[in-house]
Amino acid sequence: MEEKLMSRKKPSFPINERFNRYLAKYNRNTKIPVFYDDLLRFSGSIVVYDQHEEDTFWVRCYYPDHERTEIDNSLKQVYTILHSDGSDDSLEFLNIDAIDYCTFGNSKPFRIRVRNILNDSFTYFYVKKADASRLYGLEFEHLLSPHRINFLVYKDTLIEEHIAGIPGDVFIEDHLPECDNRAQTQIAKQFVKFNERCTVRLLGDMRSYNYVVIPTHDFDHVEYQIRAIDFDQQCYEGNLKVYRPQFFKENFKMVKLVSDKLEQSSIEQYRKEERSLLAKRMINTRSRYKELIRCMINDHVSSAQNVRSLRKDLYKYTTDMKFKRARTMGQILRTALQFVQRNYENVNMRRMLD
């Protein structure tokens, strides 16, 4: 199904000067001591297998001895810049346990495992090629989702924090069958809200391995959230279905869960809730949001054909004439978000007048 929905490969888009100024203004742009291309110089690798001895599509990289020390020190500095003040005070307590390279997907990221040798705790961060559409995706996630996200960019290299959670495909296969009725109903609700959030803000390709499920223990039960972890497909594809997770076969069990556990009236209620929350976040981050959307309106992060196709799909979906006048993906996204905000404000106005 996804071959029909999506292009085989999305090109990488450069970061223009206006977007660079925005990133610098909000402390996303900072000098770092290592580049993506530096990590490509590994001399060997071995396949990384999961606990079931299946290929994870990651390989563990090895570097010549004379380069490894310099690479490790640079990566430790990147970690302190990302998570602290960038000083050297804690470098002696950090160790780079592994540098893994992903052989699957568009971004081909490096995953860095960093361990604190004092308490043996560890975390990850990612080194990727900086791509404008991915950076827009990260920024819109930070502003318009329930979650904040930390990343840095320098020239053509992106440093991205790790988002903890159970990968969606693993959760669906191993954990979902063990959930009780209450938990499954809550997961269905969260999938509806996640689906709506992705559709409205045009974040595409949310197949099950591109999001995580986050369980949180709360008194006598577990709450669940669904969170995107891949922002490569922000406003690129021309098919509206790409921006609706429900249409990917990998999410079939989640879609079935929704139909089994929720009435249509509940589904509509949760969709409205999510659109209202999006509108509130736009209002609360108004100044920064407007700067970001202006950058995107004046940028090119897709093809003219995809723009024409998506605006046609969105006009059919909403009957909003403003989509017909959109000339860039930024204008399409602004129109989609304005549609949601306008509806929210109209409902609020009617409520106040009643």
Side-chain angles (χ1 to χ4, degrees):
M1 179 184 288
E2 59 269 32
E3 288 298 332
K4 296 178 182 177
L5 289 181
M6 298 180 60
S7 308
R8 286 192 173 271
K9 185 171 176 61
K10 183 185 83 70
S12 180
F13 295 94
I15 304 166
N16 66 23
E17 184 56 35
R18 181 170 187 161
F19 192 22
N20 246 325
R21 290 198 300 271
Y22 168 93
L23 293 167
K25 178 177 179 179
Y26 291 103
N27 298 315
R28 299 298 201 185
N29 200 329
T30 186
K31 190 173 182 179
I32 55 176
V34 66
F35 292 97
Y36 178 89
D37 288 346
D38 295 331
L39 300 183
L40 286 174
R41 299 199 305 265
F42 53 90
S43 56
S45 64
I46 59 171
V47 176
V48 177
Y49 295 98
D50 65 15
Q51 58 183 349
H52 304 298
E53 296 301 317
E54 294 183 3
D55 190 346
T56 61
F57 301 108
W58 290 85
V59 296
R60 186 141 300 164
C61 302
Y62 297 95
Y63 297 83
D65 291 342
H66 66 281
E67 291 189 2
R68 181 63 197 240
T69 300
E70 182 181 350
I71 288 173
D72 281 10
N73 287 336
S74 296
L75 291 173
K76 286 190 283 187
Q77 288 177 344
V78 167
Y79 173 84
T80 63
I81 295 170
L82 184 66
H83 290 288
S84 185
D85 59 3
S87 67
D88 296 341
D89 298 348
S90 61
L91 293 185
E92 62 180 306
F93 307 120
L94 300 176
N95 189 68
I96 304 299
D97 281 0
I99 302 173
D100 297 336
Y101 176 66
C102 185
T103 58
F104 177 74
N106 269 330
S107 58
K108 299 288 195 300
F110 284 92
R111 180 178 62 196
I112 316 301
R113 174 168 159 148
V114 184
R115 180 168 53 90
N116 185 316
I117 62 177
L118 294 178
N119 55 27
D120 216 32
S121 65
F122 64 88
T123 188
Y124 299 93
F125 68 87
Y126 298 86
V127 181
K128 303 178 179 180
K129 273 285 188 184
D131 167 48
S133 60
R134 184 178 299 116
L135 291 171
Y136 282 119
L138 287 163
E139 271 295 293
F140 281 116
E141 175 75 5
H142 185 77
L143 297 182
L144 302 182
S145 85
H147 314 286
R148 305 284 73 80
I149 193 163
N150 192 15
F151 69 91
L152 301 170
V153 62
Y154 181 57
K155 295 185 178 179
D156 64 348
T157 297
L158 168 66
I159 308 297
E160 195 176 316
E161 73 174 354
H162 174 66
I163 298 172
I166 304 169
D169 53 343
V170 175
F171 183 86
I172 290 169
E173 192 65 30
D174 298 341
H175 299 267
L176 186 58
E178 304 300 320
C179 292
D180 61 22
N181 183 67
R182 183 190 184 284
Q184 289 188 359
T185 300
Q186 207 231 341
I187 293 163
K189 168 188 173 181
Q190 291 302 321
F191 187 79
V192 170
K193 294 168 77 72
F194 177 69
N195 189 80
E196 189 69 11
R197 190 158 66 244
C198 292
T199 303
V200 172
R201 53 162 285 203
L202 299 179
L203 177 61
D205 192 20
M206 282 299 110
R207 286 174 278 190
S208 55
Y209 47 78
N210 285 333
Y211 60 81
V212 293
V213 179
I214 306 170
T216 304
H217 290 266
D218 183 23
F219 293 108
D220 59 347
H221 66 280
V222 179
E223 294 286 328
Y224 295 89
Q225 287 187 315
I226 300 176
R227 183 176 180 184
I229 59 172
D230 191 320
F231 305 92
D232 185 54
Q233 288 286 346
Q234 176 68 54
C235 294
Y236 173 72
E237 293 288 347
N239 188 340
L240 178 58
K241 289 182 178 179
V242 172
Y243 305 102
R244 306 185 73 188
Q246 69 191 76
F247 286 104
F248 288 102
K249 65 180 178 63
E250 291 87 350
N251 295 326
F252 173 76
K253 290 182 180 178
M254 286 295 214
V255 175
K256 187 174 186 306
L257 192 69
V258 171
S259 64
D260 289 346
K261 299 296 180 182
L262 302 179
E263 299 290 337
Q264 189 59 41
S265 58
S266 294
I267 293 172
E268 288 305 312
Q269 175 195 339
Y270 298 142
R271 293 180 64 207
K272 287 179 182 177
E273 284 180 8
E274 195 58 36
R275 289 196 296 270
S276 295
L277 289 171
L278 271 166
K280 289 176 182 178
R281 293 182 195 117
M282 289 169 62
I283 293 168
N284 291 337
T285 61
R286 189 188 305 274
S287 176
R288 184 166 174 175
Y289 160 73
K290 284 185 174 181
E291 284 186 68
L292 180 60
I293 202 70
R294 285 193 204 106
C295 288
M296 197 177 192
I297 286 169
N298 292 282
D299 208 343
H300 297 281
V301 290
S302 189
S303 67
Q305 180 181 348
N306 283 352
V307 170
R308 288 193 296 269
S309 177
L310 185 59
R311 74 187 182 200
K312 181 180 177 182
D313 281 359
L314 280 164
Y315 171 70
K316 288 181 180 178
Y317 186 60
T318 65
T319 67
D320 188 339
M321 287 293 294
K322 291 185 175 65
F323 283 111
K324 286 193 169 185
R325 296 192 286 270
R327 294 292 178 266
T328 68
M329 281 296 187
Q331 289 177 329
I332 289 176
L333 180 58
R334 180 179 64 178
T335 303
L337 292 170
Q338 284 178 339
F339 180 83
V340 169
Q341 185 177 359
R342 193 163 58 246
N343 286 345
Y344 169 77
E345 290 174 342
N346 288 342
V347 169
N348 259 7
M349 183 63 69
R350 288 196 300 270
R351 181 173 55 81
M352 292 177 68
L353 293 175
D354 286 344

